[in-house]
Amino acid sequence: MAAGSPGVDLDTLQRWLRAFAASVAEHKDELTDLDAAIGDADHGANMHRGMSAVVDALDAAPAADPAALFKQTGMTLVKSVGGASGPLYGTWFLRMAPATGGATTLDPETFAKALRAGLEGVVARGKAELGDKTMVDALAPALDALDAALAAGESLADALRAASTAADEGRDATTPMVARKGRASYLGERSAGHQDPGATSAALLVAAAAGSVGGAVAEGA
Amino acid sequence: MAAGSPGVDLDTLQRWLRAFAASVAEHKDELTDLDAAIGDADHGANMHRGMSAVVDALDAAPAADPAALFKQTGMTLVKSVGGASGPLYGTWFLRMAPATGGATTLDPETFAKALRAGLEGVVARGKAELGDKTMVDALAPALDALDAALAAGESLADALRAASTAADEGRDATTPMVARKGRASYLGERSAGHQDPGATSAALLVAAAAGSVGGAVAEGA
Amino acid sequence: MKKLLNDPADLVAESLRGLDRAHPELRVDHENRIIYRADAPVSGKVGLLSGGGSGHEPAHAGFIGPGMLDAVCAGEVFTSPVPDQMAEATKNIDSGAGVLHLVWNYTGDVMNFDMAAELAAAETDTTVEAVVMNDDVAVEDSLFTAGRRGTGAAIAVEKIVGAAAEQGRSLSELADLARRVNDNSRSMGMALTSCTVPAKGSPTFDLPDDEIEIGIGIHGEPGRRRVPLAPAHEIAPMLVDPVLADRDFTGGDGVLVFVNGTGATPLLELYLMYGEIAALLDKAGVVPVRTLVGPYVTSLDMAGCSVSITQLDDELLRLWDAPVATSGLRWGM
Amino acid sequence: MKKLLNDPADLVAESLRGLDRAHPELRVDHENRIIYRADAPVSGKVGLLSGGGSGHEPAHAGFIGPGMLDAVCAGEVFTSPVPDQMAEATKNIDSGAGVLHLVWNYTGDVMNFDMAAELAAAETDTTVEAVVMNDDVAVEDSLFTAGRRGTGAAIAVEKIVGAAAEQGRSLSELADLARRVNDNSRSMGMALTSCTVPAKGSPTFDLPDDEIEIGIGIHGEPGRRRVPLAPAHEIAPMLVDPVLADRDFTGGDGVLVFVNGTGATPLLELYLMYGEIAALLDKAGVVPVRTLVGPYVTSLDMAGCSVSITQLDDELLRLWDAPVATSGLRWGM
Ligand SMILES: Nc1ncnc2c1ncn2[C@@H]1O[C@H](COP(=O)(O)OP(=O)(O)O)[C@@H](O)[C@H]1O
Ligand SMILES: Nc1ncnc2c1ncn2[C@@H]1O[C@H](COP(=O)(O)OP(=O)(O)O)[C@@H](O)[C@H]1O
Ligand SMILES: [Mg+2]
Ligand SMILES: [Mg+2]
Ligand SMILES: [Mg+2]
Ligand SMILES: [Mg+2]
């Protein structure tokens, strides 16, 4: 596929959020079970509550543009989730909003820039570094792969697929890690050997992007 | 064996109490399990605590005569058991004491009379009637059999064996009964189908008498 | 069995040791397992004695103090204390005004308190009255049995009579008051799980994951019936309906509602149950004017709850509200 | 899963409904899940706000009232509440003297309270200070992690700061005092069993019948290590030793010892544990002058306990003893 893929429109972004919500619903018990092993057994319920609220908000009041959509999503997550994942995923979307620069359709670079702003927000809020066994370990490699693919001239669809692969690898890489942030850090060495729940949900988020944004862009291409 | 067996002396009575204590220790878990089904799961512990205290008291200060022995045993049980079985078994022995008439060796009729006084004490204290699914259902038939055998001219040893058989039958007969006294009565119809723990310990008491008192008397004959 | 203890045979004695250290406002006679108000006997006041098997904490020692009990005798786990303890305690809390025995209706407790009263009468000149508390409507044919059990209503009786005793009322007045509060009260309980008696080391009864016991006793005695596990809004009427069917609670000056946790029930769930119960009372025209929600009469580690309702009037309300300073109930001082 | 509830998703909301009815001295904003002192904001007084996930009852709402907190935000079970709740509560308890956020140190709680303070700063002119409580010595390498957890010490902080707030002290004085009490406190916990989070429906962790978790958190987070089931006199040093190793408690005017039950632990056992703990403190030359034994910071239906020790001085002792009227802690009024 050639460079210069068409942009990501509001509809596609909404499909992404709905796809993520569906994926979270499907993997709810898995996320909770992962959290039970090294946390407090609520990550599935937290993400499900949050993304259900996001979908409800979408149904109730469709956003005017991507910035509004991201802001509404971020605020909904902050308001409805709580715990560690609420402020973090909330901040992710809240920071994406201004990074769209008010565009109604996001070209691939703008979309990637917005995602990068989201990640920076997550890091600013949670202070996690790579290797701390958190969602950052899935998100950061994903965005690196995305940027690299786009820089190499790949289509957004392909770049998102690469990002999703990288997120999955980053998620898998959390298993041997000793947690240094979040609730799992209390376990010290005992946290090793368990996959991080937040990295798992983050990989679902990137996969949903590859599936819906990537898919839509590909179709549209 | 002929009538007119020799009497029951202090030593033999002490052996009876020690034999009962040993039997209770052996059947402790069984008594507790029976109590768990229709009560509060403590009859084994209660009887074991009480009879251990009785044996300790025997070791510490041997009684001067049967009356003193029974009084000491009754008081020890009242002091150390609690629950329903403490006052009942305690009263049993406390009432046996005066019925010995101060004799140092109890002839079979006096022994039987003392046991009967014990039973009357249990009934006065607990108000249970035959068929209420209590220890009375083992004790009353046992004493009836004892009296009948003695009246028929049997030896005390034989009469106690008959009493023990009757106690066992009385104990078994409690199984289908609906409890009307004690903790099991709260269960109403649900108490049927379970053997009464107090009738079970009472049958052990009579069996211990047949074994030690009966045995000693038979040897002496 | 997983419990915080050493030898189960020493559990009660060792627990009393900790209780003694934790509560300087109490005095513990370890040999006799009696727990006293440190300032007992209180001059001019009728002494109030209760007690029972251990395993119901904070009952019974948690209700000793100004405005409530003067002493408590602790038995082995789920086993009534013995007459010697009760007689000794009776003697030591008698300031000359007499002693009221507040007896939870169980065969063992009643017989042991009876013998204690006989002992006290024979050995001292203390005047003793006894009131037996029997509020549990789960026991239906109470006439030809050991009668109804004493359960949650005891808290109301002990609190209200305790307040009246501080006013200097006479022994017979207090006994009448105790009977009145008891008559005004009804209770019903249920269990989600069995308790484990430490000396036995395994659960008293097996309760499948999808069944609950309705009409459970406070010693893990099995209840009247087993029913399938149900949501809270279906369990609430199983407790409230028999209570309301047994006595009319619509009159007077409202009721005290006491939702008791049996030990392992989170307070989060107990409050939810209270919400369900209050809604049922609303429908029935019964007006809760005072509420107590929490684990006050426990059955070791049993999960479940009970509801006790006490009809109040102006006097009972004032006595309930009067100051009390115990580790289990405290207000106004 | 056997619990007294309807749909697990409604548990917190329905429990708050019952709490509201049971406690007329509180005011509940059901939409925002905020529980207030009925008379908040109290004129001239700094407002004290805490909160956290549900499932720790009586924490947190059980500590609202004169002499303690002004409001609490309730989250989902074991999930921090959200910034909107906290900002709303902050606004409503500010009488002009400012609001102190007493935050239990968990990543979620800290981030949500941070965002709430940002919101409050943006939307109102309320002055907010936050103190993070982190007393749990089970977390060893706290420097490069989320740090030590906030556990039992919060009760001491909230009680003592609550008393000082009633005296009209300023926001910054109260924040300093909160930090001082927190610095003076250390805790360590253990679990015999896992809790069951209702939304999950099965135990958070599997703990074999012959093992216990040492250094457990209050949300069922697994502890630092598993050890074989042991008698109480061996468990007590596993809790006390790390606490005493982390801070010298022999000075000052003695200590407050708080033995907390995690939910399903009978009080009978907790008192026994306190006896074991007090004996260890005696040996170490640490003098308990105040004691609190009971289920105050629970983890749903988890069986286990924790010990928290707070160094007292004359001032802290007086503030601890000052009147308090909450459903969880009450004396002097
Ligand atoms: N400081 C942090 N930075 C980034 N991610 C974090 C941080 N702390 C926790 N997380 C992520 O949050 C996840 C847990 O989320 P969740 O279970 O919903 O919240 P809580 O830990 O409050 O129960 C972890 O698996 C981890 O990926
Ligand atoms: N009123 C009574 N009369 C005679 N025996 C009784 C009476 N009540 C109870 N019992 C006996 O006591 C036994 C229970 O004893 P135990 O378990 O030690 O006491 P508790 O019921 O107080 O726990 C019952 O099995 C029954 O045989
Ligand atoms: Mg979690
Ligand atoms: Mg029994
Ligand atoms: Mg018993
Ligand atoms: Mg959580």
Side-chain angles (χ1 to χ4, degrees):
Chain A
M1 230 165 276
S5 316
V8 186
D9 64 11
L10 189 60
D11 248 34
T12 307
L13 291 170
Q14 294 196 9
R15 264 205 304 282
W16 172 33
L17 297 176
R18 289 180 192 276
F20 180 44
S23 176
V24 160
E26 190 189 329
H27 293 89
K28 179 167 157 277
D29 292 347
E30 180 194 334
L31 295 174
T32 287
D33 288 345
L34 290 171
D35 197 27
I38 53 171
D40 59 351
D42 62 358
H43 189 57
N46 287 348
M47 295 304 298
H48 182 55
R49 187 173 58 252
M51 291 309 300
S52 301
V54 166
V55 168
D56 287 350
L58 283 182
D59 290 345
D65 60 22
L69 175 71
F70 293 144
K71 187 167 176 212
Q72 167 179 307
T73 299
M75 281 179 46
T76 302
L77 289 173
V78 168
K79 259 190 232 274
S80 64
V81 177
S85 49
L88 292 169
Y89 277 109
T91 298
W92 164 272
F93 286 107
L94 286 175
R95 289 290 188 94
M96 284 184 76
T100 63
T104 51
T105 299
L106 308 183
D107 62 52
E109 284 65 35
T110 306
F111 185 53
K113 229 184 60 196
L115 292 171
R116 175 71 59 188
L119 175 61
E120 281 163 4
V122 167
V123 170
R125 181 65 64 203
K127 314 271 180 322
E129 293 173 15
L130 259 185
D132 283 356
K133 197 178 182 107
T134 70
M135 58 177 68
V136 171
D137 291 312
L139 295 173
L143 299 200
D144 289 350
L146 181 73
D147 288 348
L150 290 177
E154 289 186 37
S155 74
L156 181 57
D158 285 346
L160 281 170
R161 264 189 289 276
S164 180
T165 303
D168 288 354
E169 287 167 2
R171 170 201 66 200
D172 294 345
T174 62
T175 301
M177 292 178 186
V178 172
R180 279 191 302 258
K181 281 284 174 292
R183 208 174 285 282
S185 71
Y186 308 137
L187 272 80
E189 302 290 333
R190 281 180 78 187
S191 62
H194 299 278
Q195 181 175 309
D196 180 61
T200 309
S201 57
L204 297 179
L205 177 69
V206 183
S212 37
V213 183
V217 174
E219 277 164 38
Chain B
M1 231 163 279
S5 318
V8 186
D9 63 12
L10 189 59
D11 249 36
T12 307
L13 291 170
Q14 295 197 8
R15 265 204 304 283
W16 172 32
L17 297 176
R18 287 180 193 277
F20 180 44
S23 175
V24 160
E26 191 189 327
H27 294 89
K28 180 168 157 277
D29 291 348
E30 180 194 332
L31 294 175
T32 287
D33 288 347
L34 290 172
D35 197 27
I38 54 171
D40 58 351
D42 63 357
H43 189 58
N46 287 348
M47 294 304 297
H48 182 54
R49 188 172 59 250
M51 289 311 298
S52 302
V54 165
V55 168
D56 288 350
L58 282 181
D59 291 344
D65 60 21
L69 176 71
F70 292 145
K71 187 170 176 206
Q72 168 180 306
T73 300
M75 282 177 47
T76 303
L77 289 173
V78 168
K79 260 191 232 277
S80 65
V81 177
S85 48
L88 292 170
Y89 276 108
T91 298
W92 164 272
F93 286 106
L94 286 174
R95 291 289 189 95
M96 283 184 78
T100 63
T104 52
T105 298
L106 308 183
D107 61 50
E109 284 66 35
T110 306
F111 186 54
K113 229 184 59 196
L115 292 171
R116 175 71 59 187
L119 176 60
E120 281 162 4
V122 167
V123 171
R125 181 65 64 205
K127 314 269 178 330
E129 293 172 18
L130 260 183
D132 282 356
K133 196 179 184 109
T134 71
M135 58 177 69
V136 170
D137 291 311
L139 294 172
L143 298 199
D144 289 348
L146 181 74
D147 289 348
L150 290 177
E154 290 187 36
S155 73
L156 180 57
D158 284 346
L160 282 169
R161 266 188 290 275
S164 180
T165 304
D168 288 355
E169 287 168 2
R171 172 201 64 203
D172 293 346
T174 62
T175 301
M177 293 177 185
V178 172
R180 279 190 301 256
K181 281 283 174 292
R183 206 174 286 284
S185 70
Y186 308 138
L187 272 80
E189 300 290 333
R190 279 179 80 188
S191 62
H194 300 278
Q195 182 175 309
D196 181 60
T200 308
S201 58
L204 298 178
L205 177 69
V206 183
S212 37
V213 182
V217 174
E219 277 162 39
Chain C
M1 174 186 58
K2 291 181 123 176
K3 290 185 178 287
L4 294 169
L5 45 73
N6 299 302
D7 185 334
D10 301 329
L11 169 56
V12 174
E14 293 181 356
S15 182
L16 283 179
R17 215 122 65 205
L19 178 97
D20 193 6
R21 289 214 47 172
H23 295 291
E25 75 282 9
L26 301 177
R27 187 158 41 84
V28 180
D29 171 352
H30 291 280
E31 193 182 322
N32 288 301
R33 296 192 182 170
I34 305 168
I35 308 101
Y36 296 99
R37 263 177 81 156
D39 60 349
V42 180
S43 161
K45 192 180 91 68
V46 169
L48 301 184
L49 177 67
S50 191
S54 295
H56 304 300
E57 292 68 23
H60 305 278
F63 303 115
I64 303 172
M68 220 160 160
L69 302 174
D70 293 273
V72 147
C73 298
E76 280 296 324
V77 170
F78 291 173
T79 303
S80 155
V82 303
D84 291 65
Q85 289 174 281
M86 298 159 177
E88 171 76 11
T90 300
K91 194 177 70 195
N92 291 325
I93 63 171
D94 183 20
S95 70
V99 173
L100 181 59
H101 288 179
L102 293 169
V103 184
W104 298 53
N105 190 36
Y106 297 93
T107 302
D109 294 76
V110 170
M111 290 193 298
N112 282 286
F113 265 104
D114 276 353
M115 294 179 87
E118 292 164 19
L119 275 179
E123 291 176 9
T124 67
D125 52 3
T126 295
T127 316
V128 174
E129 278 221 50
V131 172
V132 174
M133 301 174 288
N134 58 348
D135 50 306
D136 180 10
V137 302
V139 180
E140 286 164 7
D141 311 321
S142 53
L143 229 49
F144 306 104
T145 65
R148 289 180 163 179
R149 294 173 284 216
T151 62
I155 305 306
V157 174
E158 294 171 8
K159 167 66 189 79
I160 287 171
V161 173
E166 298 287 347
Q167 298 177 342
R169 295 203 204 173
S170 74
L171 180 56
S172 69
E173 284 174 309
L174 294 176
D176 284 346
L177 182 64
R179 277 184 284 265
R180 183 150 72 92
V181 179
N182 180 65
D183 288 349
N184 279 6
S185 302
R186 296 292 186 281
S187 300
M188 180 81 179
M190 61 76 58
L192 293 165
T193 66
S194 173
C195 50
T196 293
V197 176
K200 174 165 157 64
S202 58
T204 298
F205 53 87
D206 286 323
L207 197 52
D209 276 353
D210 55 356
E211 285 183 16
I212 58 179
E213 283 274 355
I214 302 294
I216 191 80
I218 64 171
H219 306 90
E221 313 95 296
R224 266 273 152 175
R225 62 196 168 105
R226 274 187 191 187
V227 302
L229 179 61
H233 71 263
E234 288 176 20
I235 292 174
M238 298 186 212
L239 303 181
V240 171
D241 291 351
V243 163
L244 298 189
D246 204 79
R247 192 188 186 285
D248 179 8
F249 283 101
T250 54
D253 298 303
V255 300
L256 163 69
V257 185
F258 167 29
V259 178
N260 180 55
T262 57
T265 316
L267 201 47
L268 185 70
E269 295 173 33
L270 283 185
Y271 277 121
L272 182 146
M273 278 303 291
Y274 178 62
E276 298 289 354
I277 288 164
L280 293 174
L281 296 179
D282 289 348
K283 264 194 238 153
V286 175
V287 184
V289 292
R290 292 296 180 275
T291 311
L292 193 65
V293 178
Y296 293 95
V297 182
T298 61
S299 304
L300 294 169
D301 53 352
M302 184 187 284
C305 71
S306 64
V307 56
S308 299
I309 299 189
T310 301
Q311 178 73 62
L312 297 174
D313 57 27
D314 193 49
E315 183 196 13
L316 300 185
L317 199 51
R318 256 179 303 126
L319 290 167
W320 175 261
D321 287 343
V324 59
T326 72
S327 68
L329 277 192
R330 185 163 183 172
W331 54 75
M333 65 199 294
Chain D
M1 174 186 59
K2 290 180 123 174
K3 293 189 175 283
L4 294 168
L5 44 71
N6 299 305
D7 185 335
D10 301 329
L11 170 55
V12 173
E14 292 182 356
S15 183
L16 284 178
R17 214 122 65 203
L19 178 100
D20 193 7
R21 290 215 46 173
H23 295 291
E25 75 280 11
L26 302 176
R27 188 157 42 84
V28 180
D29 171 351
H30 291 280
E31 192 181 324
N32 289 301
R33 297 194 182 170
I34 305 169
I35 308 101
Y36 296 98
R37 266 177 77 157
D39 59 350
V42 180
S43 160
K45 194 179 90 67
V46 169
L48 301 183
L49 176 68
S50 192
S54 295
H56 305 300
E57 293 66 27
H60 306 275
F63 302 115
I64 303 171
M68 221 157 159
L69 302 174
D70 294 274
V72 146
C73 299
E76 279 298 322
V77 171
F78 291 173
T79 304
S80 157
V82 303
D84 290 66
Q85 289 174 279
M86 298 159 177
E88 171 76 11
T90 300
K91 192 178 72 193
N92 291 325
I93 63 172
D94 182 21
S95 71
V99 173
L100 181 60
H101 289 180
L102 294 168
V103 185
W104 298 53
N105 190 35
Y106 296 93
T107 302
D109 295 75
V110 170
M111 289 192 300
N112 282 286
F113 266 105
D114 276 353
M115 292 180 86
E118 292 165 18
L119 275 180
E123 291 176 8
T124 67
D125 52 4
T126 296
T127 317
V128 174
E129 279 224 48
V131 173
V132 174
M133 302 174 288
N134 57 349
D135 50 305
D136 180 11
V137 302
V139 180
E140 287 163 6
D141 310 320
S142 52
L143 228 49
F144 305 104
T145 64
R148 289 181 162 177
R149 293 174 284 217
T151 62
I155 305 306
V157 173
E158 293 171 8
K159 167 66 188 80
I160 286 172
V161 173
E166 297 288 347
Q167 298 177 342
R169 295 203 204 174
S170 73
L171 179 58
S172 70
E173 284 173 308
L174 294 175
D176 285 346
L177 181 64
R179 276 185 284 266
R180 183 150 72 91
V181 179
N182 178 63
D183 288 349
N184 279 7
S185 303
R186 297 292 185 281
S187 300
M188 179 82 181
M190 60 78 57
L192 293 165
T193 66
S194 173
C195 51
T196 294
V197 176
K200 173 164 157 63
S202 59
T204 299
F205 54 86
D206 286 323
L207 197 52
D209 276 351
D210 54 356
E211 286 183 14
I212 58 179
E213 282 274 355
I214 303 294
I216 191 82
I218 64 171
H219 307 89
E221 313 94 298
R224 265 272 151 174
R225 60 196 169 107
R226 273 186 192 188
V227 302
L229 180 61
H233 70 265
E234 289 176 20
I235 292 174
M238 297 186 212
L239 303 181
V240 172
D241 291 353
V243 163
L244 298 189
D246 204 79
R247 192 186 187 285
D248 179 8
F249 283 102
T250 54
D253 299 302
V255 300
L256 163 70
V257 185
F258 168 29
V259 178
N260 180 53
T262 56
T265 315
L267 201 47
L268 185 70
E269 296 173 33
L270 283 185
Y271 277 121
L272 183 146
M273 278 304 290
Y274 177 62
E276 299 289 353
I277 288 163
L280 294 173
L281 296 179
D282 290 348
K283 265 193 235 155
V286 175
V287 184
V289 293
R290 291 296 181 275
T291 311
L292 193 65
V293 178
Y296 293 96
V297 183
T298 61
S299 304
L300 294 170
D301 54 352
M302 185 187 285
C305 71
S306 64
V307 55
S308 299
I309 300 189
T310 301
Q311 178 74 62
L312 296 175
D313 58 27
D314 193 48
E315 183 197 12
L316 300 185
L317 200 50
R318 255 178 304 126
L319 290 168
W320 176 260
D321 288 343
V324 60
T326 71
S327 67
L329 278 191
R330 183 160 184 175
W331 54 74
M333 62 200 294

